[in-house]
């Protein structure tokens, strides 16, 4: 699988990194913890041998380690690439209409039907308020999020609901991202940052159970809270 | 500087590697897009539904209490699989077809171990989306028959193999080889071979015993008998069969139609038969307008199966409701059979087969009748040899003769079940005739059951089916009277498709349970 956009964004950052030293502007690396609440909404799962409007899904929240790299452009502007250890989310079965389903399937509401890992690098342009030397600097950022669901595994529960071993595929998503946060300088090269971010993420789920293809559209309006410690150089 | 470059590059590499791990979303198991006869297109086949015995009982209690009463409480759970397999069309062209494979589940002794197989051949349907495996959609035209098979057989410990037939559901064949004895028996045999391959691979792996039963209703009654004949010829052991309400003596039934005894549903069956045999033999006509009136000829070869039900075909003007033939005699000599009169209770039925806006050209009917008179069938219009015409010249009569099931002798027990008042597939011409032709066979080999008859006594093994049918018929009459409708026509409307099937099916299971 190739992701030209990702390659391009990484290439841009490499260029940025290469020229950074010459301009003597600070680079900050941040490590921390983030919690990602996907706030997913999905259409009913549709396809052959699938009762209409009977089943859907909900992607559950997950915490993971964050890793960001920010590069000052001016005193107030910086470019930031936000990443993290790719989180694997549980995906719960949502029963919309139990009467349309065999009792063994209707009983699976809330059960974990899939585990989905996402890689979601987000490139922000941040505007940092206040003076360069202020200890506390709020910031807002706008950026572009690229989400790749690189691993999606159906559980035994989902295999049983669908009628056999099932493969899952989710489309990549590109969308607007926004964030707001606060950075507090601890002294020296160290700082701490808290931020709240969101992004537009849309994907299409394709499930294949021994040749039976079923689909759902999923939208996310994630809430990502991140607390990290930064080191500037 | 060099250090920075390296770390950025490493980061990029990490992201790219992470992004390359996704699956392609393809199916698991093995696939075969061009399956040989009897080969699975998808192995294992997907399971469509899984019901425990309690689940199924609860569903039947709410949705089909009368069926539950008829077939009894499920002992086994039922898993339904969707089968797709390789088969052939009417001229041996490779194609594929689909169907249902139902297996019993659960721990009851009736549901475990090696289970007997019942093959079920379904009745005429005009909807291409007919799919006996689709338990997720109660509006599927196959749903009623599918639930019946699950309740009657799978929930009582039988494996059910029920093909949708080539040309239906996902089958790419552009027509359906309707009442083609050779093709339809091959379709059944191929479905059985595929099902046997699938059984050990299922979510609930299943073992088949050596017992093989074949049944089917209406078109499926014909297919069941043709399949029994073909399997016997091929050396495949059949334990017993129960063809129900089928047009076995197809040439006799066809001659009767052209003699004016137009059956209920004749405007549906006639184009299905003609298209099937035109595709198989290529000599019924040069162009459909040789056979059909111009109002219907265009597109009629691709009409059935299609994306509609029978009502839509008729209200959409694609086929006339009942007027198969013109009410103008094709020649003065045939005035007395246009329509026939003096037949008693069937006068009204036959009269409905004639009118304006008819389907079949008078020239086609005349040619058929001239040949039928010159080379008569051994049963129609009068009983002589009992056999089909020796040397018919009409290509349509040659085709129905080729697919007529008279002339074979079963080596395994057969139950022929039907109702004597059937306005769609005539009892005397088919069920009673086959029974008479086989009357000299050893006792017990062939059993003929007319559910529309009184029990012969306390030991009548089919008393329950006969009493049940009578009660059901009485209820239909009473409902018609209460609604101010004509009881006779209400009974006629539901006789073949509604009144007889449950009781013949129940009788068939009782018959199979002896073996």
């Amino acid at each position: 699988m190739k992701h030209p956009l990702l390659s391009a964004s990484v290439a841009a950052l490499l260029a940025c990194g290469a020229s950074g030293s010459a301009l003597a502007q600070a680079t900050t690396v941040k490590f921390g913890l983030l919690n990602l609440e996907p706030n997913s909404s999905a259409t009913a799962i549709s396809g052959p041998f699938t009762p209409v409007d009977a089943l859907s899904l909900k992607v559950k929240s997950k915490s993971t380690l964050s890793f960001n790299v920010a590069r000052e452009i001016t005193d107030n502007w910086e470019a930031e690439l936000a990443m993290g250890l790719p989180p694997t989310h549980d995906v719960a079965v949502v029963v919309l209409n139990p009467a349309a389903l065999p009792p063994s399937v209707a009983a699976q509401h809330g059960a974990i039907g899939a585990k989905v890992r996402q890689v979601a690098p987000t490139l922000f342009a941040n505007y940092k308020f206040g003076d360069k030397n202020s200890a506390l600097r709020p910031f807002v950022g706008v950026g572009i999020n690229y989400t790749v669901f690189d691993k999606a595994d159906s559980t035994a529960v989902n295999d049983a609901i669908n009628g056999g071993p099932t493969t899952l595929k989710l489309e990549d998503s590109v969308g607007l991202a926004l964030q707001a946060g606060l950075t507090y300088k601890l002294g020296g090269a160290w700082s701490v940052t808290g931020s709240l971010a969101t992004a537009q993420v849309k994907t299409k789920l394709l499930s294949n159970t021994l040749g039976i293809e079923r689909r759902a559209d999923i939208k996310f309006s994630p809430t990502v809270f991140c607390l990290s410690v930064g080191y500037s150089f | 500087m060099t250090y920075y470059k390296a770390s950025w590059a490493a980061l990029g590499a990490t992201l790219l590697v992470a992004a390359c791990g996704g699956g392609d979303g393809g199916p698991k198991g093995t696939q075969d897009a061009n399956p040989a006869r009897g080969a699975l297109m998808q192995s294992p086949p997907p399971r469509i539904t899984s019901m425990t015995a309690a689940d199924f009982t609860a569903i039947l209690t709410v949705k089909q209490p009368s069926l539950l009463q008829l077939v009894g409480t499920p002992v086994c759970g039922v898993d339904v699989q969707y089968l797709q397999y390789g088969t052939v069309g009417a001229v041996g062209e490779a194609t594929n077809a689909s169907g249902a494979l139902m297996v019993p589940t659960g721990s009851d002794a009736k549901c475990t171990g090696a289970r007997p197989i019942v093959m079920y051949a379904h009745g005429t349907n005009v909807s291409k989306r007919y799919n006996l495996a689709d338990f997720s959609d109660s509006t599927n035209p196959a749903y009623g028959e599918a639930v019946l098979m699950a309740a009657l057989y799978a929930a009582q410990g039988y494996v059910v193999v029920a093909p949708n037939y080539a040309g239906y559901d996902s089958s790419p064949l552009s027509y359906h080889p309707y009442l083609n004895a050779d093709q339809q028996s091959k379709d059944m045999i191929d479905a059985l071979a595929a099902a046997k391959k699938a059984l050990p691979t299922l979510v609930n792996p299943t073992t088949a015993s050596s017992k093989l039963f074949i049944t089917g209703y209406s078109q499926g009654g014909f297919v069941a008998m043709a399949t029994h004949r073909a399997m016997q010829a091929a050396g495949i052991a059949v334990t017993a069969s129960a063809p129900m309400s089928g047009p076995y003596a197809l040439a006799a039934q066809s001659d009767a139609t052209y003699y004016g005894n137009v059956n209920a549903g004749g405007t549906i069956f006639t184009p299905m038969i003609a298209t099937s045999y035109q595709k198989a033999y290529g000599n019924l006509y040069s162009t459909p307008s040789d056979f059909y009136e111009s109002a219907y000829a265009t597109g009629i070869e691709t009409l059935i199966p299609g994306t509609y039900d029978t009502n839509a075909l008729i209200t959409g003007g694609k086929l006339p409701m009942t007027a198969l033939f013109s009410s103008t005699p094709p020649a003065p000599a045939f005035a007395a059979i246009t329509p026939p009169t003096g037949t008693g209770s069937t006068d009204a039925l036959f009269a409905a087969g004639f009118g304006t806006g008819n389907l079949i050209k008078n020239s086609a009917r005349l040619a058929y009748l001239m040949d039928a008179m010159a080379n008569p069938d051994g049963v129609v219009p009068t009983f002589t040899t009992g056999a089909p015409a020796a040397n018919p010249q009409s290509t349509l009569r040659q085709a129905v003769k080729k697919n007529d099931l008279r002339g074979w002798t079963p080596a395994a027990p057969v139950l022929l079940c039907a109702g004597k008042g059937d306005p769609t597939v005539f009892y005397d011409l088919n069920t009673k005739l086959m029974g008479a032709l086989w009357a000299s066979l050893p006792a017990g080999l062939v059993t003929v059951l007319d559910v529309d008859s009184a029990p012969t006594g306390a030991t009548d093994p089919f008393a329950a089916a006969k009493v049940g049918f009578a009660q059901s018929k009485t209820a239909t009459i009473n409902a018609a009277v209460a609604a101010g409708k004509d009881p006779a026509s209400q009974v006629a409307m539901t006789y073949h498709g509604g009144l007889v099937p449950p009781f013949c099916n129940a009788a068939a299971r009782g018959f199979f349970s002896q073996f």
Side-chain angles (χ1 to χ4, degrees), chain B residues 263-280:
Chain B
N263 55 346
T267 56
I268 303 289
F269 305 135
T270 301
M272 290 184 77
I273 289 171
T275 298
S276 168
Y277 297 157
Q278 176 69 13
K279 298 287 183 184

Side-chain angles (χ1 to χ4, degrees), chain A residues 1 3 6-7 10 13-14 17-19 21 27 48-51 67 69 81 83 86 99 102-104 117 119 121 148-151 159-169 206 208-213 233, chain B residues 1 3-5 7-9 11-13 15-29 31 42-52 55 58-59 63 82 84 131 133-137 169 203:
Chain A
M1 198 165 24
H3 298 289
L6 184 61
S7 306
V10 171
L13 281 162
L14 285 170
S19 61
S21 180
T27 297
F49 305 110
T50 309
F67 173 61
V69 182
L81 179 65
M83 293 160 294
S104 60
R117 189 171 79 176
V119 181
V148 177
F149 300 92
D150 74 313
K151 240 182 129 187
D159 288 356
I161 290 173
N162 283 278
T166 299
T167 60
L168 302 173
K169 186 184 178 186
L206 172 65
N208 190 320
T209 305
L210 300 173
I212 299 175
E213 290 189 342
F233 50 92
Chain B
M1 175 66 203
Y3 167 76
Y4 291 153
K5 265 189 184 172
S7 66
W8 282 118
L11 173 63
L15 284 170
L16 287 171
V17 168
C20 290
D24 63 1
K28 291 193 176 177
Q31 294 77 42
Q42 169 69 51
S43 176
R47 185 177 69 179
I48 303 308
T49 197
S50 179
M51 301 174 283
T52 64
D55 290 348
I59 290 167
K63 294 185 176 171
Y82 179 58
Q84 289 177 287
N131 184 356
D134 197 351
F135 273 68
S136 64
D137 178 8
D169 182 51
V203 178

Side-chain angles (χ1 to χ4, degrees), chain A residues 144-193:
Chain A
I144 186 160
N145 165 267
Y146 182 55
T147 299
V148 177
F149 300 92
D150 74 313
K151 240 182 129 187
D153 296 320
S154 171
T155 63
V157 164
N158 193 57
D159 288 356
I161 290 173
N162 283 278
T166 299
T167 60
L168 302 173
K169 186 184 178 186
L170 292 110
E171 280 184 2
D172 301 351
S173 168
V174 177
L176 183 71
L178 299 170
Q179 71 168 341
L182 275 173
T183 298
Y184 182 72
K185 284 187 178 168
L186 296 169
W190 295 93
S191 62
V192 60
T193 298

Side-chain angles (χ1 to χ4, degrees), chain B residues 143-293:
Chain B
Y143 188 75
E145 264 173 302
V147 172
L148 176 63
M149 286 305 108
L152 191 65
Y153 290 111
Q156 300 295 329
Y158 292 85
V159 170
V160 177
V161 180
N164 296 321
Y165 301 153
Y168 284 88
D169 182 51
S170 58
S171 169
L173 196 66
S174 63
Y175 63 96
H176 168 51
Y178 185 68
L179 296 176
N180 182 320
D182 177 62
Q183 189 283 335
Q184 292 221 262
S185 55
K186 285 175 177 164
D187 194 338
M188 291 281 279
I189 288 167
D190 295 341
L192 177 64
K196 284 186 168 177
K197 292 184 182 93
L199 283 174
T201 72
L202 303 182
V203 178
N204 285 302
T206 305
T207 309
S209 76
S210 59
K211 289 180 188 170
L212 176 64
F213 301 104
I214 309 167
T215 187
Y217 191 83
S218 191
Q219 174 193 4
F222 172 93
V223 175
M225 187 182 287
T227 303
H228 188 165
R229 183 180 70 168
M231 285 183 171
Q232 187 171 298
I236 302 169
V238 175
T239 308
S241 72
M244 302 176 289
S245 303
Y248 319 115
L250 193 63
Q253 170 91 29
S254 181
D255 280 12
T257 303
Y258 283 79
Y259 272 110
N261 298 359
V262 179
N263 55 346
T267 56
I268 303 289
F269 305 135
T270 301
M272 290 184 77
I273 289 171
T275 298
S276 168
Y277 297 157
Q278 176 69 13
K279 298 287 183 184
Y281 315 123
N283 63 358
L284 261 61
Y285 47 70
S286 303
T287 167
S289 59
D290 296 347
F291 186 64
Y292 302 102
E293 293 287 359

Side-chain angles (χ1 to χ4, degrees), chain A residues 51-112:
Chain A
V52 176
D53 293 337
L55 278 170
S56 187
L57 58 94
K58 185 89 183 166
V59 182
K60 308 195 76 155
S61 68
K62 184 75 182 178
S63 296
T64 188
L65 296 173
S66 68
F67 173 61
N68 292 23
V69 182
R71 175 81 178 164
E72 277 184 354
I73 310 293
T74 69
D75 285 355
N76 293 100
W77 286 97
E78 71 175 8
E80 181 181 26
L81 179 65
M83 293 160 294
L85 195 66
T88 299
H89 296 265
D90 286 345
V91 181
V93 174
V94 173
V95 172
L96 301 172
N97 181 6
L101 297 164
S104 60
V105 176
Q108 297 298 344
H109 182 72
I112 303 308

Side-chain angles (χ1 to χ4, degrees), chain B residues 314-384:
Chain B
I314 288 163
T315 56
K318 300 290 187 187
L319 293 172
M321 183 181 283
T322 57
L324 185 65
F325 298 126
S326 169
S327 45
T328 302
F334 299 113
I337 56 167
T338 307
T341 53
T343 69
S345 62
T346 49
D347 270 10
L349 172 69
F350 299 156
F354 293 82
T356 53
N358 55 293
L359 179 63
I360 304 301
K361 276 188 166 172
N362 253 350
S363 54
R365 184 178 175 220
L366 180 63
Y368 190 108
L369 284 169
M370 297 301 283
D371 185 56
M373 290 170 69
N375 301 288
D377 184 272
V379 176
V380 176
T382 51
F383 192 96
T384 53

